[in-house]
mmCIF file of all heavy atoms in Angstrom:
data_model
loop_
_atom_site.group_PDB
_atom_site.id
_atom_site.type_symbol
_atom_site.label_atom_id
_atom_site.label_comp_id
_atom_site.label_asym_id
_atom_site.label_seq_id
_atom_site.Cartn_x
_atom_site.Cartn_y
_atom_site.Cartn_z
ATOM 1 N N MET A 1071 -26.289 -4.552 -29.226
ATOM 2 C CA MET A 1071 -25.460 -3.644 -28.289
ATOM 3 C C MET A 1071 -25.782 -2.128 -28.708
ATOM 4 O O MET A 1071 -25.814 -1.812 -29.787
ATOM 5 C CB MET A 1071 -24.047 -3.960 -28.527
ATOM 6 C CG MET A 1071 -23.145 -3.342 -27.354
ATOM 7 S SD MET A 1071 -21.392 -3.378 -27.494
ATOM 8 C CE MET A 1071 -21.161 -5.123 -27.047
ATOM 9 N N THR A 1072 -26.234 -1.347 -27.654
ATOM 10 C CA THR A 1072 -26.372 -0.063 -27.926
ATOM 11 C C THR A 1072 -25.183 0.690 -28.274
ATOM 12 O O THR A 1072 -24.097 0.359 -27.949
ATOM 13 C CB THR A 1072 -27.072 0.738 -26.658
ATOM 14 O OG1 THR A 1072 -26.027 0.744 -25.639
ATOM 15 C CG2 THR A 1072 -28.305 -0.003 -26.221
ATOM 16 N N SER A 1073 -25.342 1.875 -28.979
ATOM 17 C CA SER A 1073 -24.123 2.620 -29.420
ATOM 18 C C SER A 1073 -23.405 3.070 -28.168
ATOM 19 O O SER A 1073 -22.131 3.284 -28.207
ATOM 20 C CB SER A 1073 -24.465 3.714 -30.396
ATOM 21 O OG SER A 1073 -25.268 4.689 -29.793
ATOM 22 N N GLU A 1074 -24.174 3.442 -27.217
ATOM 23 C CA GLU A 1074 -23.595 3.853 -25.948
ATOM 24 C C GLU A 1074 -22.654 2.827 -25.350
ATOM 25 O O GLU A 1074 -21.535 3.049 -25.064
ATOM 26 C CB GLU A 1074 -24.627 4.233 -24.898
ATOM 27 C CG GLU A 1074 -24.183 5.039 -23.700
ATOM 28 C CD GLU A 1074 -25.366 5.376 -22.750
ATOM 29 O OE1 GLU A 1074 -26.072 4.481 -22.163
ATOM 30 O OE2 GLU A 1074 -25.646 6.611 -22.544
ATOM 31 N N ARG A 1075 -23.148 1.587 -25.214
ATOM 32 C CA ARG A 1075 -22.317 0.530 -24.704
ATOM 33 C C ARG A 1075 -21.162 0.182 -25.657
ATOM 34 O O ARG A 1075 -20.044 -0.084 -25.146
ATOM 35 C CB ARG A 1075 -23.329 -0.747 -24.654
ATOM 36 C CG ARG A 1075 -22.716 -1.938 -23.989
ATOM 37 C CD ARG A 1075 -22.463 -1.877 -22.520
ATOM 38 N NE ARG A 1075 -21.656 -2.890 -21.899
ATOM 39 C CZ ARG A 1075 -21.433 -2.999 -20.648
ATOM 40 N NH1 ARG A 1075 -21.932 -2.257 -19.696
ATOM 41 N NH2 ARG A 1075 -20.615 -3.994 -20.280
ATOM 42 N N LYS A 1076 -21.345 0.227 -26.926
ATOM 43 C CA LYS A 1076 -20.293 -0.063 -27.949
ATOM 44 C C LYS A 1076 -18.998 0.789 -27.619
ATOM 45 O O LYS A 1076 -18.012 0.435 -27.664
ATOM 46 C CB LYS A 1076 -20.931 0.058 -29.393
ATOM 47 C CG LYS A 1076 -20.005 -0.634 -30.321
ATOM 48 C CD LYS A 1076 -20.581 -0.731 -31.671
ATOM 49 C CE LYS A 1076 -19.712 -1.383 -32.664
ATOM 50 N NZ LYS A 1076 -20.156 -1.265 -34.001
ATOM 51 N N THR A 1077 -19.455 2.198 -27.564
ATOM 52 C CA THR A 1077 -18.402 3.085 -27.274
ATOM 53 C C THR A 1077 -17.608 2.607 -26.032
ATOM 54 O O THR A 1077 -16.405 2.800 -25.888
ATOM 55 C CB THR A 1077 -18.931 4.509 -27.136
ATOM 56 O OG1 THR A 1077 -19.838 4.824 -28.163
ATOM 57 C CG2 THR A 1077 -17.902 5.697 -26.893
ATOM 58 N N MET A 1078 -18.407 2.286 -24.957
ATOM 59 C CA MET A 1078 -17.710 1.937 -23.730
ATOM 60 C C MET A 1078 -16.781 0.796 -23.814
ATOM 61 O O MET A 1078 -15.710 0.552 -23.121
ATOM 62 C CB MET A 1078 -18.709 1.689 -22.595
ATOM 63 C CG MET A 1078 -19.640 2.824 -22.183
ATOM 64 S SD MET A 1078 -20.674 2.293 -20.844
ATOM 65 C CE MET A 1078 -21.897 3.551 -21.031
ATOM 66 N N GLU A 1079 -17.095 -0.173 -24.713
ATOM 67 C CA GLU A 1079 -16.385 -1.273 -24.972
ATOM 68 C C GLU A 1079 -15.188 -1.138 -25.799
ATOM 69 O O GLU A 1079 -14.227 -1.924 -25.803
ATOM 70 C CB GLU A 1079 -17.217 -2.511 -25.610
ATOM 71 C CG GLU A 1079 -18.380 -2.937 -24.847
ATOM 72 C CD GLU A 1079 -17.945 -3.672 -23.443
ATOM 73 O OE1 GLU A 1079 -16.742 -4.061 -23.480
ATOM 74 O OE2 GLU A 1079 -18.749 -3.772 -22.703
ATOM 75 N N ASN A 1098 -22.027 11.949 -24.356
ATOM 76 C CA ASN A 1098 -23.158 11.231 -24.875
ATOM 77 C C ASN A 1098 -23.702 10.142 -24.053
ATOM 78 O O ASN A 1098 -24.637 9.447 -24.468
ATOM 79 C CB ASN A 1098 -22.719 10.679 -26.235
ATOM 80 C CG ASN A 1098 -22.413 11.761 -27.206
ATOM 81 O OD1 ASN A 1098 -22.870 12.777 -27.338
ATOM 82 N ND2 ASN A 1098 -21.409 11.402 -28.185
ATOM 83 N N VAL A 1099 -23.190 10.099 -22.879
ATOM 84 C CA VAL A 1099 -23.767 9.014 -21.793
ATOM 85 C C VAL A 1099 -24.988 9.650 -21.272
ATOM 86 O O VAL A 1099 -24.927 10.895 -20.749
ATOM 87 C CB VAL A 1099 -22.776 8.689 -20.839
ATOM 88 C CG1 VAL A 1099 -23.300 7.703 -19.846
ATOM 89 C CG2 VAL A 1099 -21.493 8.061 -21.494
ATOM 90 N N SER A 1100 -26.105 8.920 -21.283
ATOM 91 C CA SER A 1100 -27.297 9.493 -20.904
ATOM 92 C C SER A 1100 -27.316 9.707 -19.329
ATOM 93 O O SER A 1100 -26.567 9.003 -18.653
ATOM 94 C CB SER A 1100 -28.584 8.574 -21.124
ATOM 95 O OG SER A 1100 -28.425 7.375 -20.451
ATOM 96 N N GLU A 1101 -28.118 10.684 -18.831
ATOM 97 C CA GLU A 1101 -28.177 10.962 -17.430
ATOM 98 C C GLU A 1101 -28.607 9.690 -16.596
ATOM 99 O O GLU A 1101 -28.145 9.511 -15.504
ATOM 100 C CB GLU A 1101 -29.275 12.002 -17.206
ATOM 101 C CG GLU A 1101 -28.945 12.979 -16.139
ATOM 102 C CD GLU A 1101 -29.955 14.212 -16.026
ATOM 103 O OE1 GLU A 1101 -29.825 15.012 -16.981
ATOM 104 O OE2 GLU A 1101 -30.756 14.156 -15.154
ATOM 105 N N THR A 1103 -28.147 6.611 -17.382
ATOM 106 C CA THR A 1103 -26.902 5.732 -17.240
ATOM 107 C C THR A 1103 -25.899 6.139 -16.116
ATOM 108 O O THR A 1103 -25.355 5.304 -15.412
ATOM 109 C CB THR A 1103 -26.140 5.561 -18.612
ATOM 110 O OG1 THR A 1103 -27.039 5.141 -19.629
ATOM 111 C CG2 THR A 1103 -25.069 4.683 -18.532
#
Side-chain angles (χ1 to χ4, degrees):
M1071 191 186 284
T1072 63
S1073 64
E1074 195 177 61
R1075 183 77 192 187
K1076 196 168 177 193
T1077 308
M1078 291 182 204
E1079 294 295 345
N1098 295 325
V1099 178
S1100 69
E1101 212 173 293
T1103 300

